[in-house]
């Protein structure tokens, strides 16, 4: 069970703070249950979800050491852009990477879509909407968690990585 004040990853929402744990009863004939009250760090609103929730993935945010190890591994990661003319298959591929909720999978997805964007721009072709949507989503989830782990602003994560590794991550102009 998570504790009040703890930062967790909550499904596709990303990093949330457990702001409260409350007992609620939603129906007269149901027993009282414990619920987390979550406040997303990078979205507005609050989320109330059962403590015993098997439907939405949750886990603690990675540590600073895990974040640094992940960043330091970037030069050793070799990715290829995923190409598929079938938009449903393309979307299914990207969804599977997002739904693993694993930082390395998010990193690979981000890097492979950056690679695809570069390839498309060099060929003077348009970068697809599905590719862009998943690139932005993976980047948002990954950079949000890295920001918390590294205790920096979310919009400084890319610069932090680039400075640490002396590389340019930008996917293109």
């Amino acid at each position: 069970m998570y504790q009040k004040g703890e930062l967790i990853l909550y499904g596709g929402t990303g990093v949330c703070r457990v702001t409260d744990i409350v007992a609620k009863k939603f129906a007269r004939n149901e027993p009282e249950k414990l619920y987390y009250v979550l406040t997303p760090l990078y979205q507005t609103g609050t989320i109330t979800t059962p403590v015993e929730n098997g439907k939405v993935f949750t886990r603690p945010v990675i540590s600073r050491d895990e974040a640094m190890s992940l960043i330091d591994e970037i030069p050793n990661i070799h990715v290829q852009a995923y190409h598929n003319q079938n938009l449903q298959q393309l979307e299914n591929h990207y969804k599977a990477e997002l739904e693993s909720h694993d930082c390395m999978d998010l990193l690979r997805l981000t890097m492979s879509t950056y690679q695809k964007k570069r390839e498309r721009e060099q060929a003077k072709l348009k970068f697809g909407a599905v590719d862009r949507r998943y690139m932005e989503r993976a980047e948002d989830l990954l950079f949000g968690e890295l920001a918390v782990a590294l205790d920096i602003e979310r919009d400084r994560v890319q610069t932090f990585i680039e400075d640490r590794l002396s590389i340019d991550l930008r996917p293109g102009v």
Side-chain angles (χ1 to χ4, degrees):
M1 188 163 133
Y2 302 115
Q3 302 303 311
K4 191 173 173 181
E6 192 171 352
L7 293 170
I8 65 170
L9 185 78
Y10 180 76
T13 302
V15 180
C16 294
R17 181 176 308 280
V18 178
T19 53
D20 207 355
I21 302 170
V22 296
K24 286 189 177 187
K25 185 175 178 176
F26 283 104
R28 179 178 270 176
N29 57 350
E30 285 184 8
E32 199 170 71
K33 292 182 183 178
L34 287 178
Y35 290 84
Y36 293 120
V37 179
L38 307 175
T39 302
L41 265 57
Y42 304 107
Q43 298 177 23
T44 58
T46 59
I47 299 166
T48 302
T49 187
V51 167
E52 299 298 324
N53 182 2
K55 295 179 183 177
V56 179
F57 180 86
T58 62
R59 68 166 167 76
V61 171
I62 62 173
S63 69
R64 179 176 179 79
D65 288 344
E66 290 169 319
M68 295 301 278
S69 292
L70 185 71
I71 291 167
D72 290 343
E73 191 61 29
I74 289 173
N76 302 321
I77 299 171
H78 300 287
V79 295
Q80 288 186 327
Y82 180 78
H83 297 275
N84 196 318
Q85 296 293 349
N86 182 311
L87 292 182
Q88 186 61 50
Q89 289 177 3
L90 181 65
E91 192 148 358
N92 289 343
H93 169 78
Y94 289 151
K95 274 184 187 176
E97 294 291 314
L98 282 180
E99 289 174 359
S100 77
H101 305 287
D102 179 79
C103 288
M104 182 58 81
D105 289 342
L106 292 173
L107 179 58
R108 283 190 193 105
L109 177 56
T110 301
M111 290 175 64
S112 70
T113 52
Y114 284 3
Q115 176 64 31
K116 188 172 188 178
K117 188 171 193 294
R118 278 188 209 103
E119 289 172 5
R120 302 291 292 179
E121 288 173 350
Q122 287 170 356
K124 304 220 184 306
L125 297 170
K126 184 180 174 193
F127 187 58
V130 171
D131 297 308
R132 181 175 310 282
R133 183 172 67 244
Y134 282 94
M135 178 183 76
E136 291 171 355
R137 188 70 194 124
E139 188 179 68
D140 186 52
L141 290 169
L142 177 64
F143 286 9
E145 187 164 6
L146 288 175
V148 168
L150 298 169
D151 194 26
I152 60 176
E153 295 295 319
R154 192 232 169 268
D155 61 358
R156 292 256 320 115
V157 171
Q158 186 166 333
T159 304
F160 179 91
I161 295 169
E162 290 173 344
D163 290 348
R164 181 166 175 85
L165 302 177
S166 299
I167 60 172
D168 185 2
L169 292 177
R170 288 173 290 188
V173 180

